[in-house]
Amino acid sequence: MGSAVIDIPDGEGVGVTLKEKKKFQFSLQPIISYLRENNKKIQFSLSPIASYLREKKTKHDMRRIIHSTKVGVALVLVSLLFLLDPIYVQVGDNAMWAIMTVVVIFEFYAGATLSKGLNRGMGTILGGGLGCLAAALAQEVGGKIGHAIVVGIFVFIFAAAATYARLVPRIKKRYDYGALIFILTFNLVVVSGVRAVKVLQIARERLLTIGMGFAICIFISLLIFPIWASDELHDSIASKFEDLARSIEGCMEEYFGIVNEKESQPSAKNSSSCKSVLYSKSKDESLANFAKWEPWHGKFGLYYPWGRYLQMGEHLRELAATIISMEGCLQSPRQPSTTLRHLFKEPCEAVVSLLAITLRELGESILKMRVCHAEKIVPKLKSKRLELSLIISPSKLATIENGEAYTIATLMFLLIEMVKKVEELAKEVEELGEPAGFSTH
C-alpha cells in the first residue's frame, strides 16, 4: 500500500534539508493484515430469517405471516395513488380515503374483509345519498333558522333510527359496521352546509377512492393465499369431537387408576380441552358470520348451512359442561372404596369407550363430509343408557352405604346425560348431511 508524506517546517520557520524533514505517515496495511489474521469478514446472510421461518411451523403462525405480508402489499399498492403523479392529479387528496379503507377493512379472514368492505360501501352510498337529499331540502327551506331546524330534524330521525337498528341482534351481527358508517357519512354530508351540487361532487370523488381501496383489498384477500373463515369453522367443529373424546377417556382412566403415577398431567389437559370448547361460542358465531359473506369456494357453496354448525356447537358445549361436572365429581374427596369402584369399572369403561368411538366417528364424518347414519349409532347408545339406568336403580343403591351411593348415583347420572347428548349430536350430524351435500361413500 502507498503512504502519504507531509513536510512539516520547524518552529522557527527556517527551512530544513530533505533528510531533516519530519514525516507523518498513514497506512491501511496493518488493518488489512489484522483482518486477514483473524478471518473477520463483513457478511450479510439470510440464514437468521430462514431459521425464524423454520421455527414457525404451525399452520396458524404461517397464516399470520401470510396475512401480514398481504396487508403490507395492499398498503404499498394503495400508496401509489399518492406517489405516482399521473394518478395523484386525478384523485388529489382524496387518495387518503383509499388508504384509510385498506387499513380499516383488511381483516384476517377473507369473509371478514368482504363483510366490512360491503358494509362500508353500503353505508357510504346510503348515508351520502340521503345526506344529499336532506341538504337539498334544507336549502329549499331557506333562511338560517329554517335551514338549521330542517337539518336538526333529519339528523335526529336518521341517527336515532340507525342507532336503534344497530341494537337489533340480527342486524348487529351482520350490518353493525354499515350502520355506523351510515350515521357518520349522513351527518358529515348534511351538516357540511355546502350546496347539493358540491356535496355530490365530494361524495363521488370519495366514493371512487374508497372503491379503489376496496378493490385492492378484495383482490389480495380473495385471490392471493385466501384465509377462509368457513374452513376454520368447519375444521374447528370437527376437532372438538376429538377433544371431547380424549377428555372423556382421560377422566375415566385417571379415576380407575389405569394411568401411571408419573403421569400427573392428564386432568389438566382434559380440563383445558373442555374449557376451550365451552368458551368457543363467540368465536364460532364470528366465524359463521364471516363464512356467510364468503363466495363459493372449494367444498362450500352458496347458502351453506352454517347455522347448523352453530347448533352443533351448542350441543358440544353442553357435553363439555357435563364432562367438567363429571371431572369435578370424580375429584371429590368423598369417593367409594376401591373394591366398590372396581365393581362399576367394567360398565363405565364400556360406556366411555362407546362414547369416544362415536364422537370420533361423528367428527370424522364432518371433517371428510361423509353422511352419518344415526340409525346405526343411536340404538347402541340407548342400550348403554338403559344399562346405566339399571345400575342406579333403588334396589341396587339400597345395598350401598349412603355416602358411597350418592357418589355412584351422581357418576351414573352424568354418564347417562352424556349418552343423551351424544345421541342428539348424532342426529344433528345426520341432518347436516343433506343440506351440506355430504357424500354417501
Side-chain angles (χ1 to χ4, degrees):
M1 298 293 293
S3 58
V5 180
I6 303 176
D7 295 338
I8 303 176
D10 58 3
E12 297 179 355
V14 181
V16 293
T17 62
L18 184 61
K19 294 181 180 180
E20 294 175 344
K21 286 183 180 180
K22 298 179 181 179
K23 297 180 180 180
F24 175 77
Q25 297 184 349
F26 174 76
S27 177
L28 295 175
Q29 189 64 36
I31 300 175
I32 296 174
S33 301
Y34 175 77
L35 292 175
R36 287 176 178 173
E37 290 174 1
N38 293 273
N39 195 26
K40 294 183 179 181
K41 298 178 180 179
I42 300 175
Q43 296 180 347
F44 175 76
S45 177
L46 294 175
S47 58
I49 301 175
S51 301
Y52 175 78
L53 293 177
R54 279 196 297 269
E55 292 175 358
K56 298 292 182 181
K57 294 180 180 179
T58 63
K59 180 180 178 181
H60 190 65
D61 288 334
M62 288 303 301
R63 290 194 304 174
R64 288 177 180 174
I65 296 174
I66 291 172
H67 173 67
S68 303
T69 305
K70 288 162 64 176
V71 172
V73 172
L75 286 174
V76 169
L77 292 177
V78 79
S79 297
L80 295 178
L81 299 177
F82 264 115
L83 300 177
L84 298 180
D85 291 337
I87 302 178
Y88 181 77
V89 171
Q90 299 294 326
V91 297
D93 292 335
N94 288 314
M96 70 177 181
W97 291 97
I99 297 176
M100 290 175 60
T101 300
V102 172
V103 174
V104 170
I105 73 171
F106 208 122
E107 296 287 343
F108 186 78
Y109 297 106
T113 303
L114 189 60
S115 170
K116 292 192 75 172
L118 293 177
N119 270 278
R120 184 177 178 85
M122 291 186 294
T124 302
I125 293 172
L126 290 176
L130 293 176
C132 290
L133 292 176
L137 290 175
Q139 289 289 338
E140 292 295 328
V141 172
K144 293 184 179 180
I145 298 177
H147 181 272
I149 292 174
V150 173
V151 168
I153 292 174
F154 277 119
V155 168
F156 173 78
I157 293 174
F158 284 100
T163 303
Y164 181 81
R166 292 183 64 194
L167 301 177
V168 178
R170 294 187 63 182
I171 296 178
K172 186 176 182 63
K173 283 183 180 179
R174 302 195 67 182
Y175 306 107
D176 181 68
Y177 184 67
L180 178 65
I181 295 298
F182 169 81
I183 296 172
L184 177 62
T185 306
F186 178 82
N187 280 270
L188 288 176
V189 172
V190 77
V191 182
S192 61
V194 296
R195 292 178 299 172
V197 177
K198 187 65 175 178
V199 171
L200 288 173
Q201 180 182 353
I202 295 174
R204 184 172 58 253
E205 292 176 353
R206 291 186 179 179
L207 187 62
L208 177 62
T209 53
I210 290 173
M212 292 178 181
F214 174 71
I216 291 173
C217 288
I218 295 303
F219 176 79
I220 295 177
S221 180
L222 299 184
L223 301 181
I224 302 177
F225 297 106
I227 303 174
W228 303 109
S230 51
D231 290 339
E232 179 76 13
L233 179 60
H234 181 81
D235 296 341
S236 174
I237 292 293
S239 65
K240 287 174 185 176
F241 285 89
E242 175 65 26
D243 293 339
L244 295 182
R246 285 201 308 266
S247 298
I248 296 173
E249 290 177 335
C251 289
M252 280 295 127
E253 288 177 354
E254 193 170 307
Y255 183 66
F256 289 112
I258 297 177
V259 296
N260 299 326
E261 294 182 358
K262 295 181 180 179
E263 298 178 358
S264 58
Q265 298 289 334
S267 62
K269 293 181 179 179
N270 298 332
S271 178
S272 63
S273 297
C274 289
K275 288 180 179 178
S276 65
V277 175
L278 194 61
Y279 301 145
S280 63
K281 181 177 181 179
S282 60
K283 180 182 178 181
D284 289 349
E285 289 180 348
S286 298
L287 290 174
N289 181 32
F290 299 149
K292 291 176 182 178
W293 288 94
E294 291 176 352
W296 190 312
H297 65 281
K299 51 193 175 183
F300 305 114
L302 297 176
Y303 306 108
Y304 194 82
W306 297 114
R308 292 188 179 272
Y309 280 79
L310 296 180
Q311 295 176 8
M312 203 176 303
E314 290 293 338
H315 290 296
L316 288 169
R317 282 186 284 274
E318 292 176 2
L319 179 58
T322 307
I323 296 173
I324 292 175
S325 300
M326 185 182 71
E327 185 178 358
C329 174
L330 299 180
Q331 294 177 353
S332 173
R334 298 185 62 181
Q335 294 295 333
S337 61
T338 306
T339 304
L340 182 60
R341 189 184 305 182
H342 279 277
L343 290 176
F344 297 97
K345 176 180 177 180
E346 186 175 349
C348 289
E349 286 186 343
V351 172
V352 167
S353 177
L354 179 60
L355 289 175
I357 291 173
T358 304
L359 286 172
R360 289 191 173 97
E361 184 179 347
L362 295 176
E364 187 178 3
S365 174
I366 294 176
L367 185 63
K368 297 183 178 180
M369 302 186 74
R370 290 200 308 254
V371 173
C372 171
H373 300 286
E375 65 273 6
K376 297 180 181 179
I377 298 174
V378 173
K380 298 178 183 179
L381 294 172
K382 285 184 176 180
S383 63
K384 290 298 180 183
R385 183 153 53 90
L386 181 60
E387 291 178 11
L388 294 176
S389 301
L390 295 175
I391 292 176
I392 59 174
S393 61
S395 58
K396 288 197 174 184
L397 292 178
T399 60
I400 306 174
E401 296 181 4
N402 289 335
E404 295 181 340
Y406 293 149
T407 306
I408 296 297
T410 303
L411 175 60
M412 296 303 163
F413 173 77
L414 291 173
L415 285 174
I416 291 173
E417 288 297 311
M418 290 166 58
V419 173
K420 287 182 180 178
K421 294 185 184 334
V422 174
E423 290 178 16
E424 295 174 356
L425 280 170
K427 294 176 182 178
E428 287 284 341
V429 175
E430 184 182 33
E431 292 174 359
L432 174 66
E434 183 176 354
F438 282 7
S439 173
T440 57
H441 301 288

